[in-house]
Amino acid sequence: GRKVRVHHLRELKERGEPWPMLTAYDMYTAALFDEAGIPVLLVGDSAANNVFGYDTTVPVTVDELLPLVRSVTRSVKRSLVVADLPFGSYQLSPQQALETSIRFMKEGRAHAVKLEGGQRFAPHVEALTAAGVPVMGHIGFTPQSEHNLGGYRVQGRGEAADVLLADALALQAAGAFAVVMEMVPAEAAKRVTAELKIPTVGIGAGPDCDAQVLVWQDMAGLRRGKAARFVKRYADVATVLQDAATAFAEDVRRGEFPAPEHSFHD
Ligand code: KIV
Ligand code: NA
């Protein structure tokens, strides 16, 4: 099949066909999701929580994310790979955003980047798109600002829906090719989706967005414990992996692994 391009995503919106997006942080998941027909893979700064073991996305760095981006782009045939710009790597200025994005494009071979923020980041988005970097926006609940937003809370309720729409329109006008909306009321997300020409990607944003994204460890049940309301678990990978490790351990302890067929003989 052909590589997914940003104009394909807009065509899907025009045809009213919802599309899926997943995070990926390494070779096997990237190749599997690419083969499963996921058109867009995000190397999210959620690697902070889901790969590196931080408790927020704030501490993860460009140098930590770059090798993950590189492994994902090396492993896909069709999927469009979006690299998330981590906290501190773009907020200072449009120039800083461009310098960081150039690293993700050149060293990571990313196809696009994503950054958090609305109207106030329109100049950053404009600088990137002018330089040839496709940009995905991210509004509503933005995890890099969790200390400012007062924790994990739904954004854009009531009159704040107008701000959400203004932010989305500003990102579109600045040249963004899509915009993620995280943890916003379904009604607000529906309104933004109807007003925008570019696709909206929802996570906790109801059923009317043009696309839906989940963190893969949430989607596949690798991460245990209580999940957010917006997560649906499609598998129990945690149990599958743990059972495999337990069976291997028992085999070794009983002297049943390796068997003759796993051994080399003269
Ligand atoms: O980092 C991430 O995984 C994200 C998605 C949840 C949109 O930003
Ligand atoms: Na992110």
Side-chain angles (χ1 to χ4, degrees), residues 163-188:
V163 178
L164 190 76
L165 179 59
D167 281 338
L169 288 169
L171 293 170
Q172 171 174 276
F177 73 91
V179 58
V180 169
M181 288 190 283
E182 179 163 353
M183 282 175 69
V184 301
E187 297 75 19

Side-chain angles (χ1 to χ4, degrees), residues 8-243:
H8 295 136
L9 305 173
R10 192 138 158 182
E11 287 161 16
L12 290 172
K13 175 176 182 128
E14 281 156 14
R15 292 204 298 268
E17 292 178 30
W19 48 272
M21 171 165 135
L22 282 173
T23 65
Y25 313 98
D26 73 1
M27 176 180 81
Y28 288 120
T29 54
L32 288 169
F33 300 160
D34 177 275
E35 280 167 35
I38 306 294
V40 182
L41 297 182
L42 171 68
V43 185
D45 66 344
S46 53
N49 316 71
N50 293 286
V51 175
F52 293 110
Y54 298 123
D55 59 349
T56 77
T57 59
V58 171
V60 77
T61 65
V62 172
D63 289 331
E64 284 172 316
L65 292 181
L66 259 173
L68 312 190
V69 173
R70 191 76 178 100
S71 71
V72 169
T73 55
R74 271 201 287 255
S75 307
V76 298
K77 295 197 179 77
R78 298 185 53 239
S79 303
L80 184 103
V81 178
V82 181
D84 228 355
L85 304 186
F87 180 66
S89 76
Y90 64 94
Q91 286 91 346
L92 289 176
S93 64
Q95 181 176 334
Q96 190 202 20
L98 185 52
E99 280 169 1
T100 302
S101 299
I102 287 170
R103 287 196 67 193
F104 277 113
M105 302 289 282
K106 287 183 87 85
E107 298 171 46
R109 308 294 304 273
H111 308 135
V113 303
K114 179 167 84 56
L115 57 80
E116 296 183 4
Q119 280 175 276
R120 276 173 297 183
F121 288 89
H124 304 60
V125 173
E126 222 169 274
L128 299 186
T129 52
V133 180
V135 184
M136 180 177 275
H138 185 158
I139 57 176
F141 179 73
T142 45
Q144 293 176 16
S145 314
E146 75 153 83
H147 300 300
N148 193 35
L149 297 174
Y152 271 73
R153 298 169 66 194
V154 173
Q155 306 291 313
R157 285 195 193 277
E159 286 178 5
D162 294 339
V163 178
L164 190 76
L165 179 59
D167 281 338
L169 288 169
L171 293 170
Q172 171 174 276
F177 73 91
V179 58
V180 169
M181 288 190 283
E182 179 163 353
M183 282 175 69
V184 301
E187 297 75 19
K190 182 178 182 174
R191 180 170 156 222
V192 171
T193 301
E195 295 284 336
L196 291 197
K197 294 189 182 71
I198 57 171
T200 60
V201 184
I203 175 161
D208 297 307
C209 295
D210 299 301
Q212 298 290 334
V213 60
L214 286 174
V215 168
W216 88 257
Q217 290 93 338
D218 294 338
M219 181 278 301
L222 178 57
R223 180 172 142 120
R224 279 184 163 154
K226 194 177 169 348
R229 177 184 173 90
F230 56 76
V231 169
K232 181 173 174 184
R233 282 187 176 141
Y234 288 86
D236 185 2
V237 170
T239 299
V240 170
L241 264 182
Q242 192 167 50
D243 287 354

